[in-house]
Amino acid sequence: MIDLDWKDIYRKRFTTTEKAIQHIESFQKIFLAPMCNEPQALVEELIRQKSRLQEISLYTVVLGSPCKYADIACHPHFNIRTFLSSPLLKKAYENKKCDYLPVNFSEIPRWIKEEHIDVALIQVSPPNADGFCNLGLSVDVVPTLIKEAKIVIAEVNSNLPVTFGETLVHVSEINFFVHSDRSLLTIRNSQPSEEDLKIGRYVATLIPEYATIQVGVGKIASGIIQSLHSKVGLGVHSGSISDDIMELINIGVVTNERKEINRNRTVCTTLTGTNDLYEFCHRNEYIELYPINYTHNAAVISKISNFHSINSALEVSLSGQINAEQIDENHVVAGVGGQMDFIRASKLSPGGRAIIAMPSTAQFGMVSRIKAHTQYVTSLKSDVDYVVTEYGIAKLFGKSMKERAESLIAIAHPKFRTSLLEEFEQLQQ
């Protein structure tokens, strides 16, 4: 039951960042609010107090984070455990102070319940007239953290946008509050190359009018979204939305008018963009943010017709196995993320499709991303409908192993096609 005298609760629980972080002790498990909602004042104070802390397990979803806790000076004190990787974590990986958790995003709330987190560091808006703070630009796993963590410390930032959906948390659910007027973390809008736009144009041919889409972030995603400008009545149900999605809304391409659930609403769990996006979403009732166990829930998305998941990869084998995580044992590049969540959802959606879009090469054209086989597998060959490169579209669904190989070789970079065919023929012997 919510205590109506919330102002007294709020006043009594307000403290300084220094005193709030003093509640953290050595050997504890600390979970940072994910992505651009990572509370920077609390993180910096945690770093300032590092000398008194040993063997802290620091859990994070790093997209958008400056990863200040990965500085080499922090290595004796923090063991980073991340659900996504970043180049900013490279030194921590090399010094064995960072480890990767391959957990589907939809299952992180279940993981949190089993892991017994000691302290959650989150960011919220100032409370409204009824004593509810807003999670602003990212909901993700924070509702689960608030329920499950032993201590919840919130950085109250008046710069956060007030968003709709399931974004409210009552002051009585938070143990300590600290003040912040920090600028929000942002993700710069990616500028797609001509290659990215070519991939995007191929992908666009696979998206029917009035379909609902899920797209990731980055240059390829930007190229895809910018190639959808001529579409009609698209819906969005995604892990994140970017400035490019905002543009599709503004020009009337994204209307969400045919979605069976959350009709007329763009749905995501986090905003991954600039301050322009945050301002656009502030008190915008047509943008709704929900916890990750709703946005990434295949049972929920199965109610939406023509749901098309569009994700990327590091490598694709000639059988159609997808590697979106790592190049070798010591080089984790990205993570499981929500790829399998959305691919599974697309399979359950009437008319849904699963699309993997990627450049044909890596390392400035020196390495083919289409391989005879791949050591690491994120998504299974039986779940992917299409693979797209700048050289075309390979339809995999319902195809034999030989047909798959032929289709994928046809969209590989021309200079690798002969060697790929030879490797495939050797594998058949």
Side-chain angles (χ1 to χ4, degrees):
M1 182 177 178
I2 292 176
D3 190 335
L4 296 179
D5 189 15
W6 67 266
K7 291 182 181 179
D8 188 53
I9 296 173
Y10 188 58
R11 179 181 57 81
K12 289 179 179 178
R13 296 183 183 181
F14 226 98
T15 186
T16 64
T17 54
E18 180 181 3
K19 289 181 179 179
I21 295 300
Q22 284 174 355
H23 289 278
I24 294 176
E25 301 174 358
S26 294
F27 307 104
Q28 286 188 324
K29 298 174 183 178
I30 316 301
F31 203 119
L32 306 181
M35 305 198 190
C36 292
N37 224 13
E38 187 177 278
Q40 292 304 287
L42 289 172
V43 168
E44 289 173 7
E45 182 59 35
L46 178 65
I47 292 170
R48 277 193 287 271
Q49 294 189 29
K50 66 182 181 296
S51 61
R52 69 173 184 83
L53 298 170
Q54 303 300 320
E55 296 299 320
I56 290 291
S57 294
L58 200 61
Y59 295 92
T60 180
V61 184
V62 297
L63 182 63
S65 170
C67 297
K68 295 176 182 177
Y69 39 78
D71 186 89
I72 194 167
C74 297
H75 291 181
H77 311 280
F78 303 148
N79 296 308
I80 302 168
R81 295 171 63 80
T82 184
F83 296 91
L84 284 178
S85 195
S86 164
L88 298 174
L89 300 177
K90 183 178 180 181
K91 284 293 182 183
Y93 274 116
E94 291 174 352
N95 290 335
K96 310 299 182 184
K97 300 302 293 185
C98 183
D99 203 2
Y100 160 60
L101 289 79
V103 180
N104 292 317
F105 271 14
S106 66
E107 297 183 298
I108 297 178
R110 177 167 72 92
W111 177 90
I112 289 171
K113 292 177 182 179
E114 296 178 1
E115 192 66 15
H116 307 296
I117 299 298
D118 293 298
V119 182
L121 302 183
I122 68 173
Q123 183 170 227
V124 298
S125 74
N128 63 18
D130 296 315
F132 287 92
C133 299
N134 196 287
L135 294 175
L137 53 85
S138 191
V139 177
D140 290 291
V141 298
V142 175
T144 303
L145 283 173
I146 290 170
K147 291 177 183 177
E148 300 295 331
K150 295 174 185 176
I151 297 174
V152 180
I153 303 173
E155 183 172 325
V156 182
N157 192 335
S158 59
N159 290 315
L160 273 184
V162 171
T163 51
F164 290 88
E166 293 182 13
T167 55
L168 298 180
V169 52
H170 196 264
V171 297
S172 60
E173 299 178 82
I174 296 171
N175 300 100
F176 301 102
F177 298 91
V178 303
H179 172 75
S180 174
D181 56 5
R182 298 287 295 268
S183 297
L184 300 175
L185 295 173
T186 59
I187 295 177
R188 183 173 55 86
N189 199 30
S190 299
Q191 294 301 316
S193 65
E194 181 52 40
E195 178 183 79
D196 300 323
L197 290 168
K198 193 169 183 180
I199 293 169
R201 288 191 287 270
Y202 279 121
V203 170
T205 67
L206 300 173
I207 308 299
E209 311 289 17
Y210 303 104
T212 293
I213 61 170
Q214 168 268 320
V215 190
V217 296
K219 291 175 59 182
I220 296 174
S222 186
I224 292 166
I225 297 168
Q226 291 182 28
S227 298
L228 299 174
H229 282 201
S230 64
K231 295 293 179 178
V232 176
L234 295 184
V236 172
H237 182 113
S238 193
S240 64
I241 63 171
S242 62
D243 288 59
D244 289 312
I245 292 291
M246 175 180 67
E247 175 64 16
L248 288 186
I249 296 171
N250 282 332
I251 65 176
V253 171
V254 169
T255 63
N256 299 289
E257 61 191 84
R258 296 280 181 93
K259 286 167 66 178
E260 288 85 350
I261 59 173
N262 304 111
R263 181 162 289 183
N264 302 319
R265 302 293 189 271
T266 292
V267 169
C268 66
T269 195
T270 189
L271 309 179
T272 52
T274 67
N275 284 314
D276 289 341
L277 176 67
Y278 302 161
E279 291 173 11
F280 175 77
C281 294
H282 179 60
R283 300 194 183 279
N284 185 340
E285 63 180 326
Y286 295 102
I287 310 293
E288 294 184 341
L289 278 66
Y290 289 92
I292 212 162
N293 43 1
Y294 180 85
T295 57
H296 291 61
N297 189 327
V300 171
I301 301 172
S302 69
K303 300 173 185 177
I304 303 173
S305 300
N306 296 309
F307 177 78
H308 284 58
S309 68
I310 311 166
N311 293 282
S312 194
L314 299 174
E315 300 173 336
V316 177
S317 76
L318 290 180
S319 68
Q321 301 279 60
I322 308 299
N323 170 21
E325 297 168 77
Q326 60 192 101
I327 296 172
D328 55 52
E329 186 176 348
N330 299 313
H331 193 185
V332 180
V333 176
V336 173
Q339 182 172 118
M340 273 308 300
D341 293 326
F342 290 122
I343 287 177
R344 288 169 180 157
S346 71
K347 310 304 282 186
L348 296 173
S349 164
R353 297 291 183 269
I355 301 167
I356 296 295
M358 65 176 194
S360 65
T361 63
Q363 298 181 27
F364 304 101
M366 300 300 294
V367 176
S368 176
R369 289 181 182 265
I370 294 176
K371 307 279 191 181
H373 57 84
T374 179
Q375 181 178 355
Y376 303 97
V377 177
T378 306
S379 302
L380 300 177
K381 59 182 179 291
S382 56
D383 288 327
V384 176
D385 292 302
Y386 299 97
V387 174
V388 180
T389 73
E390 72 273 25
Y391 290 102
I393 302 169
K395 182 179 179 182
L396 301 189
F397 178 71
K399 301 298 183 181
S400 69
M401 297 297 282
K402 181 180 179 181
E403 290 168 333
R404 286 165 171 260
E406 290 172 345
S407 295
L408 287 164
I409 290 170
I411 65 167
H413 192 286
K415 68 181 179 182
F416 294 108
R417 291 176 189 173
T418 299
S419 60
L420 284 168
L421 180 59
E422 290 173 352
E423 287 185 82
F424 178 72
E425 290 174 346
Q426 289 175 3
L427 290 172
Q428 302 307 299
Q429 294 176 2

